[in-house]
Amino acid sequence: MTAVAWAQELREVDYAKSGVRFVGKQMGVPAEGAFRRFTARVAFDPARPEQGRAEVEIDVGSATVGDPEADAELKRKAWFDTAHHPTAKFVSTGFRKISEGRYEATGKLTIKGRTRDVVVNFTAKPASPGLELSGTLPIKRLDYGVGEGIWADTDTVANEVEIRFRLVLGPLR
């Protein structure tokens, strides 16, 4: 598809109402954080989900868990290694409807230079004047080399992480 066609189908993202969060467990206790900066290009129409496309790029250096020392640790080589891998990226390869208002996006997720096939489950609902997409993506952090070395011990930090997102999009152009 040409860049012109992609641009004509893009929905404007309302970043003030949108967000990307992550939830895992540290020593058995839920731990939550957020990425403060990301960009998204989304072309999605619930009436024609199979024609949807999405690219989301996250500035992993913007990760915060609410503690300055821990936030600084996340940037280091053992975690996101932001000096060498400043962004994580999701690129869709397909969309399909699961049930009324529920959808699935398949795609490629790249973190720290490692790419894996993923499935993202999400809902789509009207949000004046456009659409709200909300969903989750479960991943295993060690598949992407996040939390290496002493942090690879899954008794301390669980391997399972859930990425949660909410994208508030404008109307189709």
Side-chain angles (χ1 to χ4, degrees):
M1 173 147 292
T2 68
V4 172
W6 169 265
Q8 290 172 341
E9 297 174 2
L10 278 178
R11 290 179 178 261
E12 196 69 35
V13 177
D14 183 340
Y15 289 101
K17 295 179 181 176
S18 301
V20 179
R21 305 192 64 73
F22 53 92
V23 180
K25 287 188 177 181
Q26 184 171 354
M27 296 172 57
V29 177
E32 187 169 339
F35 295 102
R36 293 177 299 220
R37 291 185 300 277
F38 68 95
T39 58
R41 291 172 31 120
V42 180
F44 183 76
D45 180 352
R48 298 179 310 203
E50 66 284 349
Q51 294 178 11
R53 284 180 313 290
E55 290 181 11
V56 179
E57 190 166 85
I58 296 171
D59 174 351
V60 293
S62 75
T64 181
V65 294
D67 175 69
E69 189 176 313
D71 292 352
E73 182 66 32
L74 289 174
K75 294 176 183 166
R76 294 193 175 106
K77 184 177 181 180
W79 290 95
F80 286 119
D81 192 11
T82 59
H84 296 101
H85 305 283
T87 62
K89 189 172 188 175
F90 170 78
V91 179
S92 68
T93 56
F95 283 86
R96 73 181 187 100
K97 183 176 182 175
I98 303 294
S99 63
E100 194 57 40
R102 298 183 54 77
Y103 302 87
E104 178 181 275
T106 54
K108 306 264 185 204
L109 178 64
T110 303
I111 303 173
K112 282 183 80 172
R114 298 179 187 186
T115 302
R116 302 284 186 266
D117 292 323
V118 296
V119 177
V120 181
N121 290 298
F122 67 97
T123 59
K125 65 181 183 180
S128 185
L131 193 63
E132 177 185 314
L133 306 181
S134 296
T136 60
L137 170 59
I139 65 167
K140 294 193 182 291
R141 66 180 177 83
L142 294 175
D143 287 350
Y144 298 93
V146 176
E148 297 177 312
I150 63 168
W151 298 108
D153 176 8
T154 58
D155 289 336
T156 304
V157 179
N159 194 23
E160 294 75 19
V161 176
E162 187 173 82
I163 300 169
R164 299 176 181 173
F165 65 91
R166 177 178 185 240
L167 297 176
V168 177
L169 308 173
L172 283 171
R173 294 190 222 169

